[in-house]
C-alpha cells in the first residue's frame, strides 16, 4: 500500500509539474506579447507585409529609427512552406502506411519500420544540409532546362525536405489507425468477394480517415515549428510571393533572429519574438485540439 501511494504521488507530481510549467510558459509569452502590442500596432503586425525590425535600432545614417513589424509575410512563408511540406508528406506517408498496414508481409515490415524510425531520428540540421547541398542545386538545374530561373534558397527546396522529415510521423500514426480498423468489417468485405484493393478504399480508409487526418494535422504542427531547414534552405528574407522558386522565411526563424542579437530585452525587436510566438502558439494549439478531437472520435467509432 505504501509503495502504491508513493508511485501515485510521484506520478501526480510529474503531471502537476508538467501542467504548471506549460501554463507558466504560456503566461510568460502572453505577458511579453502584450508589452509588444503596447508599443506597436496590432493591425500593422497582423496585416502589414513589411518587416523591417532592424530599423528599430539602426538607421541608414546612424540615427535611431522606428522599426516596422508587419508579420503577414512571415506567416505567409510559414504556411506556404508548410503546405509544400504536407503535399510531399501526405501521399508518401499515407501510401507507406497503407503498404505497411495492409500489403506488407512480416519480413518487409521488419526492414521498413526501422528505416522509418531512423529517418524520424535524423537531426533537422542534417536535413538542412541535404536541402542546401543536394536538393537546391538540383531544383536550379531542373528548372533551368525549361528556361525558368530558380533561387538556390527556395520555398520548394525547404518544403520538400521538410515533407520528407514529416513522412515518418504521418506514416506511423496512419498505420496505427489502419491496423485498428475492425477485423470483422474487413473479413466481412472479403466474404462479399471484394479484392484487397477494394477493401482498402471501401472499408479501411473510410474507417481510419479521422485518425489519418489527425496524423496529418500533427505533421502540420511539426512543420509549422521547424526552423533549421528554413534557415539553411529558404533564407532569412520575408517575401510575400506565390513563386515557390523564390526565397522566403518563416515565423520561427524570425523568433530566433530577434532573440539572438545584443539588443535590450524590452526593445520592440526582442518583444516581437513573443508576439510571433503567441500567434503561432494559438494557431498550433487550434490544430492540435482539432487533431485530438478527431482521434477521440475515431476511438469512439472503433468501440461501437
Amino acid at each position: 500500500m505504501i509503495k502504491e501511494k508513493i508511485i501515485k504521488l510521484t506520478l501526480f507530481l510529474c503531471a502537476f509539474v508538467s501542467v504548471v510549467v506549460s501554463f507558466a510558459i504560456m503566461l510568460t509569452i502572453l505577458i511579453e506579447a502584450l508589452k509588444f502590442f503596447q508599443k506597436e500596432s496590432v493591425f500593422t503586425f497582423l496585416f502589414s507585409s513589411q518587416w523591417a525590425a532592424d530599423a528599430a535600432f539602426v538607421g541608414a545614417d546612424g540615427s535611431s529609427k522606428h522599426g516596422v513589424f508587419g508579420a503577414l509575410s512571415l506567416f505567409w512563408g510559414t504556411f506556404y512552406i508548410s503546405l509544400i511540406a504536407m503535399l510531399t508528406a501526405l501521399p508518401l506517408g499515407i501510401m507507406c502506411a497503407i503498404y505497411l498496414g495492409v500489403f506488407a508481409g512480416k519480413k518487409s515490415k521488419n526492414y521498413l519500420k526501422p528505416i522509418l524510425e531512423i529517418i524520424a531520428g535524423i537531426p533537422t540540421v542534417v536535413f538542412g544540409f541535404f536541402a542546401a547541398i543536394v536538393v537546391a542545386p538540383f531544383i536550379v538545374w531542373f528548372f533551368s532546362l525549361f528556361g525558368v530561373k530558380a533561387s538556390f534558397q527556395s520555398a520548394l527546396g525547404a518544403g520538400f525536405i521538410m515533407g520528407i522529415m514529416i513522412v515518418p510521423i504521418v506514416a506511423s500514426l496512419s498505420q496505427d489507425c489502419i491496423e485498428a480498423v475492425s477485423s470483422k468489417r474487413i473479413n466481412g468485405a472479403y466474404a462479399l468477394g471484394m479484392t484487397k484493393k477494394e477493401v482498402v478504399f471501401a472499408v479501411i480508409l473510410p474507417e481510419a480517415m479521422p485518425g489519418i487526418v489527425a496524423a496529418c494535422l500533427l505533421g502540420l504542427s511539426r512543420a509549422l515549428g521547424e526552423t533549421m531547414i528554413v534557415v539553411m534552405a529558404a533564407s532569412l528574407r520575408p517575401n510575400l510571393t506565390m513563386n515557390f522558386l523564390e526565397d522566403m522565411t518563416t515565423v520561427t526563424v524570425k523568433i530566433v533572429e530577434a532573440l539572438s542579437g545584443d539588443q535590450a530585452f524590452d526593445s520592440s525587436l526582442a518583444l516581437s519574438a513573443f508576439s510571433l510566438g503567441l500567434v503561432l502558439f494559438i494557431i498550433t494549439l487550434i490544430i492540435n485540439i482539432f487533431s485530438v478531437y478527431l482521434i477521440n472520435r475515431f476511438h469512439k467509432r472503433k468501440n461501437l
Side-chain angles (χ1 to χ4, degrees):
M1 290 294 293
I2 296 177
K3 291 183 179 180
E4 290 183 0
K5 289 182 179 180
I6 293 174
I7 293 174
K8 288 182 179 180
L9 180 61
T10 303
L11 295 175
F12 171 77
L13 290 176
C14 291
F16 180 75
V17 169
S18 300
V19 173
V20 170
V21 171
S22 299
F23 274 102
I25 293 172
M26 290 187 290
L27 185 62
T28 302
I29 294 175
L30 179 61
I31 292 174
E32 299 300 328
L34 291 176
K35 291 181 182 179
F36 171 81
F37 290 125
Q38 288 176 354
K39 296 182 177 182
E40 307 295 336
S41 170
V42 178
F43 183 84
T44 301
F45 178 80
L46 294 177
F47 300 104
S48 174
S49 61
Q50 184 181 3
W51 183 273
D54 292 344
F57 58 93
V58 177
D61 56 355
S63 60
S64 177
K65 293 186 177 182
H66 189 72
V68 180
F69 299 91
L72 184 61
S73 58
L74 303 181
F75 286 104
W76 169 257
T78 300
F79 286 103
Y80 196 47
I81 293 176
S82 297
L83 175 62
I84 296 173
M86 297 311 296
L87 290 176
T88 303
L90 262 58
L92 292 176
I94 294 174
M95 286 190 291
C96 183
I98 293 173
Y99 176 75
L100 290 175
V102 180
F103 295 98
K106 186 176 181 180
K107 189 175 181 180
S108 299
K109 286 184 180 181
N110 291 337
Y111 284 108
L112 294 177
K113 194 70 174 180
I115 293 175
L116 279 177
E117 294 173 354
I118 291 173
I119 295 175
I122 296 176
T124 56
V125 66
V126 177
F127 284 105
F129 272 121
F130 184 78
I133 296 174
V134 178
V135 176
F138 175 79
I139 290 174
V140 173
W141 169 79
F142 178 78
F143 282 95
S144 66
L145 299 177
F146 304 95
V148 179
K149 184 179 179 180
S151 172
F152 278 94
Q153 291 182 310
S154 64
L156 179 60
F160 174 76
I161 292 300
M162 197 181 297
I164 299 299
M165 180 189 67
I166 296 170
V167 165
I169 299 175
V170 177
S172 180
L173 294 175
S174 298
Q175 181 189 351
D176 293 338
C177 296
I178 289 173
E179 292 179 344
V181 174
S182 174
S183 59
K184 293 180 180 179
R185 297 186 181 184
I186 296 175
N187 293 331
Y190 284 131
L192 292 173
M194 288 186 177
T195 63
K196 185 171 286 189
K197 184 183 73 173
E198 291 172 337
V199 170
V200 169
F201 289 101
V203 179
I204 296 177
L205 286 183
E207 182 73 16
M209 190 54 64
I212 293 175
V213 173
C216 296
L217 291 176
L218 291 175
L220 176 60
S221 298
R222 178 71 176 84
L224 291 175
E226 178 53 40
T227 304
M228 188 57 65
I229 294 176
V230 179
V231 171
M232 302 179 70
S235 87
L236 305 175
R237 184 173 72 98
N239 188 14
L240 186 63
T241 178
M242 287 288 294
N243 189 354
F244 51 78
L245 299 179
E246 292 186 11
D247 60 328
M248 59 182 64
T249 193
T250 62
V251 170
T252 53
V253 173
K254 285 302 175 182
I255 290 175
V256 174
E257 187 178 287
L259 294 176
S260 60
D262 57 354
Q263 67 277 355
F265 190 76
D266 59 348
S267 65
S268 295
L269 178 57
L271 293 176
S272 66
F274 294 96
S275 59
L276 291 171
L278 177 63
V279 177
L280 187 62
F281 169 78
I282 293 173
I283 294 172
T284 307
L285 180 63
I286 293 172
I287 293 174
N288 287 335
I289 290 174
F290 186 58
S291 64
V292 170
Y293 165 76
L294 290 177
I295 291 174
N296 291 334
R297 183 180 174 186
F298 171 76
H299 286 302
K300 287 180 180 178
R301 289 181 59 183
K302 176 190 169 184
N303 295 328
L304 291 177

